[in-house]
Amino acid sequence: MTHPAAAPEYPEPPRYPQQPPPAPPVRPPAQPTPAQPSYPPSPAYPTHPQHPQAAPYAAPAPPVSAPAPPYVPPMPPLPPGAGPGSGPGGGDPHDPRHPHHISTDHGRIHLAAQQRRTDATAVGSLLLHLPNFLGSLFVVGLLSLFFGGLGFLVILLWLASGALIFHRPTESALARHVLRLRYPTPQERAKLEPVWREVTARAGVDGRTYELWVEDSDHLNAVAAAGHIVGVTRFAMDRLPNGELAAVMAHELGHHVGGHAWAGLLGYWYALPGRLAWRLLRGVTTVMYKVSRAFSCFGIAFFGMAVMGLAYVTISSLYGLPLLILGVPYALAAVGRRAELRADQHAAALGFAPMLAAVLEKMHREEQQVQAALTLRNGGVPVAQSPLAKLLTSHPDHHTRLHHLQPYLAPPGH
């Protein structure tokens, strides 16, 4: 087999080191910005006052742990007539926003030189009690006959007993057992005494002369008795604003200052024997009348003749004094109504006229409620008061009292 001729072998060219591929052109690095030299902080200098056109100074915000409290707008004052107790459900009678709330923080107290007086009403009451006093003296004189030679001493002791109404222990017994009053508790005294100090400070009266008592009653009322007793009901103490309570207490102080309280009680005390004898006489005549009815017409006629004979002998021997006694209750009631108006004027002169008018309005509403209850109990027929019963009332009607307060309620200059 024939082979092709082999190619001539040539020597391999020399190997040279391989050159790396040309590198991309290298850009010169950016020259770094030279750092600003640091200087020490400049010292703090006092700032100049800002120009009015400059931005206002912003106060630093409060710390996060104590955020500023939210703004609470002040409560608006209560309008007149919308105070506590004026609407359904009542309210807090001691709210300082009440238009009849007064401040009891006073300064110096100036006492008047004349603490008490005896006005015309008190004198009239004493004079009208004179027939009752004479009738009682006659009764005591009859009783003294049973004591023989000591009868005159019995009369003297009865005459001197009138001084007991000014005796403090006797007054306390009277307040507790007759008027059904009690001493106030410490909490009640804390309510009453500041108001009483304000009333007596305006009147220039030493309030320590009198004693404050409380009646456990749910009605609006107060009482002035003897020489040193001023009592208010629990309702008046708890449900009235302090200005209206002050008006009530100023009214009772007017009875004391004018002499109405002691004059009325003194007259009642000396008329007591005659009253008891009159009640006994009425009881005896009632029994005699019932017995005489058992004897038909003859017995009734005999009883009538006996009564008329006794009345004639009494009137002729005592110069008509029994007839005066029959009219005394009506005259005393008229004087009592006048005393109430004078006590109202005393309270109004001390600056309590608006408060007293509000109290009278509340008392009038209470009377209307009682009248409505009586009408409902009577089958819807109104219970009318007889004219004689009206003459025996000891207090004026609501409209009369408000009419006499008008000069104190009118604005100045009117």
Side-chain angles (χ1 to χ4, degrees):
M1 173 175 186
T2 63
H3 295 281
E9 295 181 2
Y10 297 97
E12 292 182 4
R15 295 179 180 272
Y16 296 96
Q18 187 177 1
Q19 296 294 331
V26 179
R27 294 180 181 180
Q31 297 294 328
T33 304
Q36 297 293 333
S38 60
Y39 299 95
S42 59
Y45 294 95
T47 57
H48 294 282
Q50 295 180 350
H51 195 270
Q53 296 180 354
Y57 172 77
V64 179
S65 59
Y71 173 73
V72 179
M75 299 180 68
L78 295 176
S86 59
D92 183 10
H94 308 293
D95 193 336
R97 299 177 300 157
H98 196 284
H100 292 163
H101 181 85
I102 61 172
S103 174
T104 56
D105 299 330
H106 53 76
R108 300 178 60 185
I109 300 177
H110 301 277
L111 298 180
Q114 185 180 8
Q115 293 286 293
R116 298 194 188 200
R117 64 182 184 276
T118 304
D119 60 17
T121 305
V123 174
S125 177
L126 291 175
L127 292 177
L128 288 174
H129 274 103
L130 185 59
N132 292 332
F133 167 76
L134 294 177
S136 296
L137 181 61
F138 176 75
V139 173
V140 174
L142 291 179
L143 293 176
S144 65
L145 298 178
F146 294 95
F147 295 90
L150 298 178
F152 186 74
L153 183 60
V154 172
I155 297 177
L156 290 181
L157 289 177
W158 175 73
L159 293 175
S161 63
L164 291 176
I165 66 171
F166 302 102
H167 184 233
R168 289 300 184 96
T170 305
E171 284 187 356
S172 299
L174 172 69
R176 186 177 294 107
H177 301 292
V178 178
L179 302 178
R180 302 299 180 184
L181 303 178
R182 61 170 175 82
Y183 286 116
T185 64
Q187 293 79 8
E188 293 170 341
R189 190 172 295 277
K191 293 180 182 179
L192 294 175
E193 287 186 348
V195 180
W196 180 244
R197 285 196 300 266
E198 177 65 23
V199 171
T200 54
R202 295 191 186 190
V205 174
D206 187 2
R208 297 170 299 180
T209 305
Y210 303 92
E211 292 184 1
L212 300 178
W213 293 72
V214 176
E215 179 185 358
D216 289 320
S217 173
D218 294 329
H219 298 282
L220 176 55
N221 199 9
V223 62
H228 311 91
I229 295 175
V230 175
V232 296
T233 61
R234 188 181 62 250
F235 178 92
M237 179 181 57
D238 294 337
R239 301 292 297 275
L240 294 182
N242 66 344
E244 296 180 10
L245 178 61
V248 172
M249 301 177 97
H251 173 91
E252 303 305 329
L253 179 62
H255 284 307
H256 279 298
V257 171
H260 311 156
W262 70 263
L265 184 58
L266 189 66
Y268 176 82
W269 174 256
Y270 281 123
L272 192 58
R275 292 175 184 269
L276 295 177
W278 174 251
R279 291 182 180 179
L280 179 62
L281 182 61
R282 286 177 56 185
V284 171
T285 53
T286 301
V287 173
M288 291 178 60
Y289 176 74
K290 291 181 178 180
V291 171
S292 64
R293 291 182 61 183
F295 298 94
S296 66
C297 297
F298 177 77
I300 295 177
F302 179 76
F303 173 78
M305 293 178 59
V307 171
M308 291 180 61
L310 180 63
Y312 175 77
V313 172
T314 304
I315 293 175
S316 61
S317 60
L318 297 178
Y319 304 99
L321 185 61
L323 295 180
L324 292 178
I325 294 179
L326 294 177
V328 164
Y330 300 96
L332 284 176
V335 172
R337 292 191 294 268
R338 186 61 185 173
E340 293 297 326
L341 295 178
R342 284 183 174 269
D344 286 348
Q345 293 173 359
H346 178 268
L350 298 182
F352 299 114
M355 297 79 164
L356 184 59
V359 172
L360 294 178
E361 185 65 30
K362 293 178 180 179
M363 295 179 67
H364 182 56
R365 289 200 298 265
E366 187 175 322
E367 292 174 359
Q368 288 179 329
Q369 293 174 358
V370 173
Q371 189 69 22
L374 292 176
T375 302
L376 183 62
R377 193 177 304 171
N378 198 34
V381 180
V383 181
Q385 193 177 20
S386 64
L388 289 179
K390 291 181 179 180
L391 292 177
L392 288 175
T393 56
S394 59
H395 286 68
D397 61 88
H398 171 69
H399 303 287
T400 301
R401 298 181 73 171
L402 283 182
H403 173 73
H404 284 81
L405 283 180
Q406 286 305 313
Y408 301 92
L409 295 172
H414 289 72

